[in-house]
Amino acid sequence: MMMGLVRTALFLMFFSAFLFHGLCVRRTEIDVVRHVGEASGGDDEANAPGPSTPPSGGVQVQVRDKYVVMDNGILQVNLSNPGGSVIGIQYNGVDNLLNELNGESNRGYWDVVWSAQKSNKTKGKLDRLDGTKFEVIVENDEQVELSFTRMWNLSLAGKVVPLNIDKRYVMLRGSSGFYTYAIYEHLAEWPTFTIGNTRTVLKLRKDKFRYMAIAANRQRYMPLPDDRLPDRGQVLAYPEAVRLINPVEPEFTGEVDDKYEYSCEGKDIQVHGWISTDPPMGVWQITPSYEFRSGGPVKQFLTSHVGPTSLNVFVSAHYSGVDLTMKFGPNEPWKKVFGPVFVYLNSMLDGEDPRSLWMDAKEQLIVEAESWPYKFPASEDYVQPSQRGNVTGRLLVLDRYISEECVTAYGAYVGLAPPGDAGSWQRETKGYQFWTRADEEGNFSISGIIPGQYNLYAWVSGFIGDYKYENNITISAASHINVGELVYEPPRSGPTLWEIGIPDRTASEYYIPDPDPQYINPLYINHPDRFRQYGLWERYTELYPDEDLIYSVGTSDYRKDWFFAQVTRF
């Protein structure tokens, strides 16, 4: 407890200094020249990735039998050849930011969880998407782009996911990080299958990265992965949740560690990562657009968790089940580009508060978002900015039981998603979605839309139901479509007699109990996201042991008398 208080005091002191003195993040730019090394034959030492001292110039790439190294003088990224796993990141004087205790294929990778048969389950086989062929796509002073591919054929049936895979890695001159994206392709004649999850993963060094930041108000010093081992932790209702009973650092005693407590809605997963204090530096996942994520803006995804592990999840059945798995039937061709996403690294001068790195990462997010859609990806499957379209309009709400005239849909979520019923975007997994927020007058503008056919959807906080524009919208290259004024009439059979809560797609206004004292995550004490505490479903039985809740209209208060979740009672 004392160590925790000391950390809090130091944080407040450093944060005050940061506010007064401002941010001083080191953004070193060192030019290097590209160099392609020769394969060495069988010398393991010669094949191993390692530091180099390139002459001045542009970005360099070194190609060896087992490894490929991208280097722009600011950082080096070492990749397995031809698998395409990230096996090392050299930065800020540290030889490798990734966990070398893991095997080379278990440090930085893309993966898919898939099933060959139709199933009501969300689990399946794990495929690390290891490449079988490597190619340098772009190699000049300004940019290196590498491709690691694996082409599917019938001999692989049942062994790996039936997709053609093209994993790309990009490094730019003067950039403090690297980009990655991937193209998945399924041909019509290939087997049926399902995907429950696909993502990128970085597993960082546990001796360096102890402070996790996933939002401005969701940051903390984290336990060690050792604390989850059987002699130190007690597994709770599911394997991911562990109560720390004998942690390495006593201050964590009694806490619950559960990766699901660090989930976020898709619209909010823009930058998250880890901070090291020795030396002071950060590793961040920056996602400038969530157009390639499934389920729309309010779908929950994992972010970072004890490991230290940093994720970028694109498709996930978490919190939804089989409705959010990707299901491919017979004669169904499909292709999709996931990303690019940016792995950003930053560092501080000695003596500065390392937590200021979070502020710098947020600034870098703005830079990346303003550059979206990117121009540099070289794959012909990635749609360049000039080939994308735009949609504008204005959304109004007409609810005659509230106002005889239309009111503006201030703050409404308006988006384009593949055609379907109103609200179908929440269960959509295979296509692209493009979302924005309406301004105070209800005006909206959606840019950077990939050509195709879409429906326009919306939902407005404070009004029930989902809006769907009656006409399909066809986007072509450089198209500019103005749909004019749209009017949403929420479904009604008459005036509102009573209601419980607020139709805003959150449960934050209802009664959220205090957690059981033995299941506490201190991050969420008196926190807006206090509903993320482990085990709150068990409190329902404790609070209402004999019968389920009865809400009495006119006397009950949903803020006190209505449980925030519908759960079973033991």
Side-chain angles (χ1 to χ4, degrees):
M1 177 63 72
M2 182 59 67
M3 288 183 68
L5 292 174
V6 169
R7 281 201 184 92
T8 302
L10 287 172
F11 169 71
L12 292 173
M13 178 180 68
F14 282 132
F15 187 63
S16 299
F18 161 68
L19 291 176
F20 183 78
H21 294 293
L23 183 65
C24 180
V25 177
R26 185 168 61 202
R27 297 171 180 265
T28 308
E29 294 192 4
I30 304 174
D31 294 334
V32 300
V33 70
R34 177 190 173 277
H35 170 73
V36 179
E38 296 294 334
S40 61
D43 189 335
D44 289 340
E45 183 176 353
N47 275 293
S52 61
T53 308
S56 61
V59 189
Q60 75 158 0
V61 58
Q62 301 175 35
V63 181
R64 301 172 182 175
D65 281 351
K66 297 181 181 179
Y67 305 101
V68 183
V69 182
M70 299 188 297
D71 187 348
N72 67 358
I74 301 172
L75 74 155
Q76 284 188 345
V77 177
N78 304 318
L79 301 142
S80 62
N81 182 8
S85 295
V86 182
I87 60 176
I89 301 174
Q90 184 184 81
Y91 174 74
N92 197 30
V94 180
D95 286 341
N96 196 351
L97 306 187
L98 302 183
N99 184 4
E100 291 186 330
L101 297 177
N102 289 355
E104 290 187 348
S105 64
N106 190 28
R107 300 175 190 173
Y109 52 87
W110 287 74
D111 69 17
V112 161
V113 175
W114 70 287
S115 176
Q117 303 294 330
K118 290 184 178 180
S119 172
N120 290 326
K121 298 181 179 180
T122 59
K123 296 186 181 297
K125 300 178 181 179
L126 178 66
D127 185 347
R128 286 281 170 83
L129 305 182
D130 292 324
T132 58
K133 178 184 177 183
F134 160 71
E135 185 178 1
V136 178
I137 302 298
V138 177
E139 47 180 343
N140 58 50
D141 288 349
E142 301 299 321
Q143 174 179 340
V144 164
E145 179 162 341
L146 309 178
S147 168
F148 299 85
T149 56
R150 185 184 73 196
M151 310 306 287
W152 194 88
N153 59 60
L154 285 175
S155 69
L156 299 173
K159 300 176 182 177
V160 299
V161 63
L163 295 171
N164 286 334
I165 301 295
D166 185 355
K167 298 184 296 184
R168 301 289 182 102
Y169 295 91
V170 181
M171 180 174 283
L172 304 179
R173 177 174 179 168
S175 175
S176 187
F178 65 96
Y179 300 84
T180 184
Y181 67 107
I183 304 98
Y184 296 0
E185 181 183 29
H186 180 257
L187 301 187
E189 63 271 20
W190 287 357
T192 61
F193 72 108
T194 62
I195 290 178
N197 191 297
T198 189
R199 61 187 184 169
T200 67
V201 182
L202 289 177
K203 296 184 175 180
L204 304 171
R205 287 175 56 165
K206 67 179 182 180
D207 62 322
K208 297 289 184 185
F209 296 95
R210 298 295 306 278
Y211 190 84
M212 185 181 75
I214 57 178
N217 64 351
R218 297 174 69 189
Q219 304 182 13
R220 63 165 297 189
Y221 186 75
M222 294 291 284
L224 288 163
D226 311 62
D227 298 335
R228 296 176 53 87
L229 297 175
D231 59 332
R232 296 189 178 275
Q234 173 191 2
V235 176
L236 299 175
Y238 43 90
E240 293 84 354
V242 174
R243 185 169 182 262
L244 310 182
I245 56 177
N246 183 32
V248 174
E249 295 161 299
E251 65 185 277
F252 294 110
T253 301
E255 286 191 19
V256 170
D257 179 67
D258 179 1
K259 68 180 182 181
Y260 297 114
E261 293 182 333
Y262 304 113
S263 298
C264 288
E265 293 183 351
K267 62 182 174 58
D268 299 324
I269 306 176
Q270 298 177 301
V271 55
H272 66 93
W274 291 82
I275 292 173
S276 162
T277 57
D278 181 25
M281 58 183 173
V283 178
W284 308 96
Q285 297 265 11
I286 292 182
T287 307
S289 169
Y290 56 89
E291 67 186 40
F292 36 76
R293 284 200 184 114
S294 63
V298 292
K299 170 70 175 71
Q300 296 267 338
F301 293 94
L302 298 174
T303 57
S304 288
H305 59 82
V306 161
T309 301
S310 181
L311 306 173
N312 214 315
V313 184
F314 308 114
V315 175
S316 171
H318 285 137
Y319 307 104
S320 302
V322 294
D323 283 347
L324 264 293
T325 57
M326 303 173 71
K327 305 173 185 68
F328 294 90
N331 303 313
E332 184 174 357
W334 174 80
K335 182 183 286 189
K336 187 171 182 178
V337 178
F338 294 97
V341 295
F342 185 40
V343 178
Y344 177 59
L345 294 89
N346 56 6
S347 59
M348 300 291 299
L349 300 174
D350 290 338
E352 297 286 339
D353 176 20
R355 296 167 184 84
S356 300
L357 295 165
W358 161 257
M359 302 300 294
D360 174 70
K362 288 182 65 178
E363 290 183 6
Q364 188 63 37
L365 167 64
I366 295 173
V367 173
E368 301 298 325
E370 289 177 347
S371 302
W372 186 270
Y374 295 135
K375 296 180 179 179
F376 61 79
S379 171
E380 61 182 15
D381 295 305
Y382 177 82
V383 182
Q384 293 291 326
S386 61
Q387 298 300 306
R388 298 182 179 221
N390 304 278
V391 170
T392 58
R394 186 185 187 207
L395 183 64
L396 305 173
V397 181
L398 178 60
D399 188 332
R400 64 186 183 276
Y401 293 101
I402 294 178
S403 172
E404 293 183 356
E405 298 181 351
C406 290
V407 298
T408 62
Y410 173 55
Y413 282 84
V414 185
L416 294 184
D421 298 329
S424 62
W425 52 270
Q426 298 170 104
R427 300 178 299 278
E428 199 283 318
T429 59
K430 297 176 184 175
Y432 300 92
Q433 298 194 26
F434 305 86
W435 289 87
T436 190
R437 300 287 299 275
D439 66 16
E440 60 185 8
E441 297 299 323
N443 297 306
F444 61 87
S445 178
I446 306 173
S447 59
I449 307 166
I450 293 173
Q453 189 173 82
Y454 300 89
N455 283 150
L456 186 145
Y457 305 95
W459 59 274
V460 189
S461 182
F463 296 91
I464 64 171
D466 277 282
Y467 172 77
K468 174 188 171 184
Y469 180 46
E470 59 185 3
N471 299 322
N472 288 353
I473 294 177
T474 301
I475 299 296
S476 58
S479 61
H480 295 271
I481 298 174
N482 188 333
V483 296
E485 285 193 350
L486 309 177
V487 179
Y488 173 43
E489 297 186 42
R492 275 190 180 273
S493 297
T496 301
L497 300 180
W498 54 271
E499 65 181 3
I500 302 177
I502 303 166
D504 61 356
R505 307 197 181 219
T506 79
S508 60
E509 70 268 26
Y510 300 110
Y511 173 61
I512 302 172
D514 291 330
D516 186 316
Q518 66 175 335
Y519 295 147
I520 290 213
N521 183 331
L523 175 63
Y524 295 116
I525 297 175
N526 298 321
H527 191 281
D529 284 6
R530 58 199 303 264
F531 62 87
R532 296 187 186 277
Q533 291 276 17
Y534 173 85
L536 294 183
W537 59 88
E538 295 182 357
R539 295 301 324 277
Y540 185 79
T541 302
E542 298 167 8
L543 293 167
Y544 317 106
D546 299 322
E547 59 182 14
D548 285 321
L549 285 171
I550 297 175
Y551 191 91
S552 299
V553 177
T555 58
S556 294
D557 181 347
Y558 61 76
R559 293 169 297 183
K560 302 176 182 177
D561 303 322
W562 198 248
F563 206 70
F564 78 105
Q566 300 296 303
V567 299
T568 55
R569 188 176 65 253
F570 294 117

